[in-house]
Amino acid sequence: MVAARRLSGRKRPVVTDSCGVPIGLLVHADDVQGRDGAVPLLASIRKRHPWLRHGFDDGGYAGDTLKGALRRIGQGNREIVKRSDQARGSVVLPRLWLVERTVTWLGRCRRHARAWEKSTASATAFAPIASIRMLTRRLARHCNPA
């Protein structure tokens, strides 16, 4: 009998540009709330891309804790995209569907499909590899329409 690996899940918050290209990705344990995991991700993006000024978030990132942390690191404007009260079932939200599509594409990579890595640092290191794979496939499809 083989013992099962007891790993906690992983969350992968992603920041994309307006075309769905990943700008930043951070992998953390499943027990970290999304708002708390967003602060180090946005701080790292702020260092690499200081010209970014406007962002769109879903309702899970609303709150005073994240707002105060973003004020301290100097992040620009954030707009919370909320779901309509009349909506039933799964609804495509404007601007946020790009991030959902990118997360789905990254999930097609075998390393991101499951928690193969023991540490979040190694899982974070494989995120650029998955995005490079995604972007080269997109480039090959557009340059060679057959």
Side-chain angles (χ1 to χ4, degrees):
M1 183 175 194
V2 178
R5 276 193 330 186
R6 301 291 295 180
L7 288 176
S8 62
R10 303 278 191 246
K11 287 186 182 176
R12 293 175 176 86
V14 178
V15 176
T16 65
D17 66 359
S18 58
C19 295
V21 176
I23 294 174
L25 186 137
L26 180 72
V27 179
H28 55 78
D30 198 22
D31 61 348
V32 176
Q33 191 174 12
R35 278 180 240 138
D36 299 333
V39 174
L41 174 63
L42 293 173
S44 70
I45 290 170
R46 183 72 178 146
K47 291 176 187 173
R48 284 183 279 151
H49 305 284
W51 58 86
L52 294 177
R53 295 284 180 233
H54 194 80
F56 297 95
D57 296 330
D58 65 357
Y61 292 98
D64 294 332
T65 307
L66 182 59
K67 197 180 291 185
L70 293 178
R71 197 175 303 120
R72 282 192 304 276
I73 63 173
Q75 191 69 18
N77 298 335
R78 288 177 44 244
E79 183 179 332
I80 304 295
V81 179
K82 295 199 177 190
R83 222 179 110 113
S84 172
D85 291 336
Q86 291 84 22
R88 298 277 183 210
S90 179
V91 178
V92 176
L93 296 176
R95 304 279 186 181
L96 297 183
W97 67 271
L98 288 167
V99 177
E100 296 297 330
R101 181 183 67 178
T102 302
V103 169
T104 303
W105 284 344
L106 290 174
R108 290 180 183 172
C109 184
R110 182 182 68 86
R111 293 261 188 184
H112 289 285
R114 302 206 190 269
W116 296 102
E117 314 300 327
K118 287 189 178 183
S119 70
T120 57
S122 62
T124 303
F126 278 102
I129 296 170
S131 63
I132 289 169
R133 179 177 170 253
M134 177 184 73
L135 292 173
T136 54
R137 286 182 141 191
R138 190 187 302 178
L139 183 64
R141 186 175 47 240
H142 288 296
C143 291
N144 188 12

